[in-house]
Amino acid sequence: MNINSNYDNLEQSYLFSTISKKVSEYASQNSDKTIIKLGIGDVTLPLCKAVTEAMHKAVDEMGNQSTFRGYGPEQGYDFLRNAVKNYYKSHSVDLELDEIFISDGAKSDLGNILDLFSKENIVLVPDPVYPVYVDTNIMAGRSIKFINANGDNQFLPLPDENIKSDIIYICSPNNPTGAVYNKEQLKQWINYALKQKAVILFDSAYECFISDEKLPRSIYEIEGAKDCAIEFCSLSKTAGFTGTRCGYTIVPKNLGKLNKMWVRRQTTKFNGVPYIVQRGAEAVFSVEGQKEIKENIDYYKRNARLISDTLKECNIWHVGGKHSPYVWLRCPNNMNSWEFFEFLLKNIQIVGTPGSGFGKNGEGYFRLTSFGSYENTKEAMRRFEKLFK
């Protein structure tokens, strides 16, 4: 028996596991302190009424022999795929039903899609970046190149024609920085991918936070994208499905064999998302569902504005928050990322995410999330002001 030695090249533990361990250790020794967590990107508002009502109805159906459902289609039920299709249509993107695949979340599919590609492919990843992009390719033993995202390019790096790549990761709005590509910038990436004969893996998990209609919510809003891009999206942040698990992946037919390969992969390794969850997801795209989830998203945007306004008052440089649930700040007083993490935890009991956990260009930066409750966010910012003003 031989193990996959590529795992030896990973960090000892996943970023958020390390944070959780540090916070637990501090809490056990400081039981009199109230810790406010603005680190992990987990939602706090409950599922909206339209979703829970649809799921309750689906539960009743599963308890009745005439409406019971067993194995469903691995690609997802047509009622949900049509709902996703119509959602894209509302953003001027036309998709065919068999280009839409329902999944249990973007994170899963971003890792699973790599089954379609040879390990000899060269991967291009922006730095800083969501750790899953890097770790899943390290596990497979692929060569990874990094393109620098930094303050000079507003954390929106553009392609370098001199860099060879086969698989390109783009996240917009970006996790962790909150930066958003405009159409002209994405067109440059599409042209680069077509010239390289590469595929773009486009993570649009935070598209629902984009406030400016001129900014693209899908890469397919740009000409040529269907010839080179696979898009991943999740209902985790859109509709609070972090614990319910549902998302979708778009594999255009223009990508030829990749569409059929993904069908083959899913029918072999995936039994589909539960019927009850898919009925809840369908309700997300209803008129009432869209109205209710917008109220939730506006709640988180309010938190983001509060964080941003407080950081301005404290003269702390930051970006993000406007089109994203994340605020990306420069650590004060030249502290490195983990020093600032410890400083906040010990002095004001606030938990955030060290930027260095997202790559070397994240060193010296820090991520705060707006997914907490408004009351906790308000208290956290009161503590910030007390410490930094």
Side-chain angles (χ1 to χ4, degrees), residues 272-292:
V273 177
Y275 172 73
I276 296 166
V277 172
Q278 291 197 52
R279 280 299 185 190
E282 179 191 25
V284 169
F285 299 102
S286 69
V287 173
E288 191 60 31
Q290 287 290 293
K291 177 185 175 184
E292 291 172 355

Side-chain angles (χ1 to χ4, degrees), residues 11-25 338 341-342 354:
E11 294 291 332
Q12 191 169 13
S13 66
Y14 185 51
L15 171 62
F16 297 104
S17 299
T18 302
I19 292 172
S20 179
K21 182 180 178 182
K22 286 180 176 289
V23 173
S24 295
E25 289 175 352
W338 280 106
F341 173 88
E342 299 285 354

Side-chain angles (χ1 to χ4, degrees), residues 49 53 80 100-101 113 119 153 175 185 197-198 210 222 229-230 239 247 266 286 303 307 315 333:
K49 185 178 178 182
E53 286 181 347
L80 180 51
I100 301 167
F101 299 84
I113 200 75
K119 80 170 191 175
N153 55 31
N175 180 10
Q185 290 167 326
K197 294 182 171 58
I210 294 177
I222 293 93
I230 297 173
Q266 293 298 80
S286 69
N303 286 348
I307 295 171
N315 286 321
N333 304 320

Side-chain angles (χ1 to χ4, degrees), residues 65 100 231:
Q65 187 170 357
I100 301 167
E231 183 163 298

